[in-house]
């Protein structure tokens, strides 16, 4: 984490190799999201992502909050005209089940409704907005303060950066990770007591969500600084996993190497017992937004093939990604080469002639409920 001056915050600089996730563009307070970028040394953000579970609970909480505000108004000697008008408008809006969201200029903010979440339709525009909290280096006890303020069972806290070079994209939060997290929560009974491996876990948000239902999750990636960030996020959200006694272990797994890291001097290495546990009990492998480089895609599928070959049980692999469209001079058209390469490699795996293993591929329709606030676009 770094100190950020006002001048630096208001003058962001984008470099040619900067890669930016647009997950946070769904939030309205862009000044606090876009201006503290890689020009000031990749400052670290702590964002709260609210899980949306039950419409009745949300409506009840909103009614109680409105009732409390009415009581505060009435306790005064006299209602001013402005307060009276505001209260009248709030009652009218709440009676219709919609809350007006206005920006600083008084213009109406339009909140997009999640796709095909039929049982959440009544709550679509009542959802709480989620804003990042910017941590400064001087606040050494910042995490302690945040833990005291927010240990809710419906809030995920993630430490991350906002804009990075390509090699550090794992430190950002990406939309496909939310999509996979949604799917995990939608079919969470499927993962009860499972042992799970995540490839390219990044900040760890998907593994953390999986840890709320699974028995054990091995969240893997490369880079000591990234793994340390991921481990910090697991610690920040341990309260979410305690009810189900789930466990998330952060480990190094380099797709460009043929073996697990077992060096006892390495901070995120594997023990022989953990490797044996993975091979004996893992039944689920998952990865989100890791298909952006052809060489890394090839390396991931080689790793996937090697690991599944050594598993004692059959395994289901869940892959989530966002198709990123680009105009290329080579094709003189809008293309998605990374996605095309992924599909070709997936097709090769499905048609692999292997007497020991058989792989089948099945697409998942995006008609399941949305539990996290993000824009579920068509390219997911």
């Amino acid at each position: 984490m770094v100190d950020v001056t006002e001048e630096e915050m208001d003058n962001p600089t984008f470099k040619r190799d900067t890669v930016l996730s647009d997950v946070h563009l769904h939030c309205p307070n862009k000044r606090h999201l876009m201006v503290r970028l890689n020009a000031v040394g990749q400052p670290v953000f702590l964002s709260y992502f609210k899980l949306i579970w039950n419409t009745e609970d949300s409506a009840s909480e909103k009614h109680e909050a409105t009732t409390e505000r009415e009581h505060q108004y009435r306790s005064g000697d006299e209602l001013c005209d402005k307060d009276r008008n505001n209260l009248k408008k709030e009652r009218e809006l709440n009676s219709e089940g919609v809350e007006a969201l206005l920006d600083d200029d008084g213009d109406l903010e339009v909140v997009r409704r999640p796709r095909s979440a039929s049982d959440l339709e009544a709550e679509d525009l009542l959802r709480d907005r989620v804003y990042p909290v910017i941590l400064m280096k001087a606040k050494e006890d910042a995490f302690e303060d945040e833990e005291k303020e927010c240990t809710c069972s419906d809030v995920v806290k993630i430490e991350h950066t906002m804009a990075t070079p390509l090699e550090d994209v794992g430190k950002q939060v990406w939309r496909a990770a939310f999509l996979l997290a949604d799917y995990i929560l939608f079919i969470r009974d499927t993962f009860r007591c499972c042992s799970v491996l995540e490839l390219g876990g990044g900040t760890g948000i998907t593994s953390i969500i999986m840890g709320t239902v699974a028995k054990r999750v091995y969240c893997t990636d490369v880079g000591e600084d990234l793994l340390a960030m991921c481990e910090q996020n697991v610690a920040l959200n341990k309260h979410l996993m305690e009810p189900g006694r789930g466990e998330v272990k952060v480990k190094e797994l380099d797709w460009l190497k043929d073996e697990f890291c077992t060096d006892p001097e390495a901070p995120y290495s594997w023990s022989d017992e953990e490797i044996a546990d993975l091979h004996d009990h893992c039944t689920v492998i998952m990865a989100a937004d890791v298909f952006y480089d052809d060489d890394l895609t090839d390396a991931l599928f080689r790793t996937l093939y090697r690991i599944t070959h050594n598993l004692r049980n059959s395994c289901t692999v869940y892959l989530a990604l966002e198709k990123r469209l680009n105009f290329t001079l080579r094709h003189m058209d809008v293309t998605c080469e990374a996605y095309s390469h992924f599909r070709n490699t997936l097709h090769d795996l499905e048609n692999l002639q292997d007497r020991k293993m058989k792989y089948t591929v099945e697409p998942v329709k995006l008609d399941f409920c949305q539990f996290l606030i993000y824009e579920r676009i068509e390219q997911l």
Side-chain angles (χ1 to χ4, degrees):
M1 290 173 286
V2 298
D3 289 306
V4 184
T5 65
E6 285 295 327
E7 182 178 355
E8 288 172 328
M9 289 191 300
D10 292 330
N11 294 280
T13 301
F14 290 90
K15 302 177 182 178
R16 286 186 303 172
D17 62 347
T18 297
V19 182
L20 174 66
S21 168
D22 60 354
V23 165
H24 291 288
L25 297 185
H26 189 52
C27 299
N29 205 349
K30 296 178 182 179
R31 179 178 180 276
H32 294 288
L33 303 175
M34 298 299 297
V35 296
R36 301 160 171 84
L37 300 174
N38 66 320
V40 289
Q42 291 188 31
V44 174
F45 292 69
L46 180 67
S47 291
Y48 294 90
F49 300 101
K50 186 176 178 61
L51 293 169
I52 304 167
W53 295 107
N54 188 292
T55 57
E56 294 180 359
D57 293 343
S58 177
S60 176
E61 291 175 2
K62 186 167 186 63
H63 175 72
E64 291 175 2
T66 304
T67 303
E68 181 179 352
R69 285 195 291 271
E70 288 184 12
H71 176 73
Q72 292 173 352
Y73 278 123
R74 290 169 181 166
S75 62
D77 295 333
E78 183 177 356
L79 281 173
C80 67
D81 292 339
K82 181 179 179 180
D83 289 340
R84 186 179 293 109
N85 291 334
N86 287 340
L87 183 57
K88 181 180 179 181
K89 291 179 180 178
E90 185 174 22
R91 284 173 177 164
E92 293 173 352
L93 290 170
N94 287 337
S95 66
E96 297 176 1
V98 179
E99 178 183 1
L101 300 174
L102 304 179
D103 62 14
D104 296 336
D105 299 324
D107 298 323
L108 180 65
E109 292 260 2
V110 179
V111 182
R112 296 196 179 188
R113 192 162 55 194
R115 286 178 174 272
S116 303
S118 57
D119 60 332
L120 297 177
E121 288 180 357
E123 189 193 0
D124 289 331
L125 301 183
L126 300 179
R127 296 179 174 179
D128 294 336
R129 286 287 186 164
V130 182
Y131 300 92
V133 175
I134 312 306
L135 299 182
M136 299 301 178
K137 186 177 180 181
K139 297 183 180 180
E140 296 180 355
D141 59 344
F143 281 119
E144 295 179 5
D145 294 340
E146 297 301 338
E147 287 188 6
K148 291 178 182 178
E149 291 178 7
C150 187
T151 55
C152 306
S153 60
D154 61 349
V155 173
V156 183
K157 295 173 286 185
I158 296 295
E159 177 185 331
H160 62 96
T161 56
M162 288 289 290
T164 66
L166 185 62
E167 61 267 22
D168 284 334
V169 292
K171 295 177 183 177
Q172 299 190 51
V173 182
W174 297 94
R175 200 162 6 216
F178 287 113
L179 181 72
L180 186 52
D182 273 346
Y183 191 65
I184 291 167
L185 294 173
F186 181 67
I187 61 168
R188 50 188 173 272
D189 289 342
T190 304
F191 305 112
R192 300 284 182 194
C193 302
C194 285
S195 288
V196 180
L197 170 67
E198 181 174 13
L199 301 173
T203 60
I205 185 169
T206 309
S207 283
I208 289 167
I209 295 297
M210 179 64 84
T212 64
V213 291
K215 177 182 179 182
R216 183 173 293 110
V217 182
Y218 291 100
C219 181
T220 68
D221 216 309
V222 292
E224 187 173 332
D225 53 345
L226 172 58
L227 293 171
M229 176 181 284
C230 182
E231 189 174 52
Q232 172 68 16
N233 287 333
V234 172
L236 285 172
N237 294 279
K238 60 185 179 181
H239 61 284
L240 297 176
M241 293 169 274
E242 286 175 351
R245 297 182 180 179
E247 177 184 25
V248 177
K249 291 189 173 186
V250 179
K251 297 293 176 181
E252 178 183 334
L253 184 56
D254 191 341
W255 306 340
L256 300 177
K257 297 179 180 178
D258 294 332
E259 301 293 338
F260 291 94
C261 175
T262 56
D263 181 1
E265 300 297 325
Y268 298 98
S269 63
W270 296 72
S271 67
D272 292 339
E273 292 77 10
E274 289 169 336
I275 295 175
D277 175 65
L278 178 72
H279 289 159
D280 291 342
H281 301 107
C282 179
T283 57
V284 175
I285 298 177
M286 60 183 184
D289 245 332
V290 295
F291 305 103
Y292 56 89
D293 177 87
D294 291 356
D295 292 336
L296 287 178
T297 296
D298 294 339
L300 181 139
F301 275 98
R302 288 195 298 268
T303 300
L304 195 61
Y305 176 79
R306 174 173 57 85
I307 291 176
T308 53
H309 245 253
N310 292 316
L311 296 181
R312 175 173 294 184
N313 303 299
S314 60
C315 180
T316 304
V317 182
Y318 297 91
L319 304 176
L321 71 157
E322 178 179 341
K323 293 183 286 186
R324 293 180 173 84
L325 305 175
N326 297 287
F327 180 86
T328 63
L329 293 176
R330 182 158 65 95
H331 295 93
M332 292 302 293
D333 197 1
V334 176
T335 63
C336 190
E337 295 187 13
Y339 176 74
S340 298
H341 185 76
F342 158 75
R343 292 292 304 184
N344 291 334
T345 310
L346 191 64
H347 179 73
D348 292 341
L349 184 68
E350 188 177 19
N351 294 320
L352 183 67
Q353 298 296 324
D354 190 325
R355 296 179 181 178
K356 184 178 179 181
M357 300 288 293
K358 179 176 176 57
Y359 299 90
T360 58
V361 177
E362 179 183 349
V364 176
K365 293 183 179 180
L366 302 189
D367 57 355
F368 49 89
C369 298
Q370 187 168 334
F371 294 89
L372 287 156
I373 300 176
Y374 66 100
E375 186 179 10
R376 190 180 286 184
I377 61 175
E378 294 180 0
Q379 287 74 31
L380 284 173

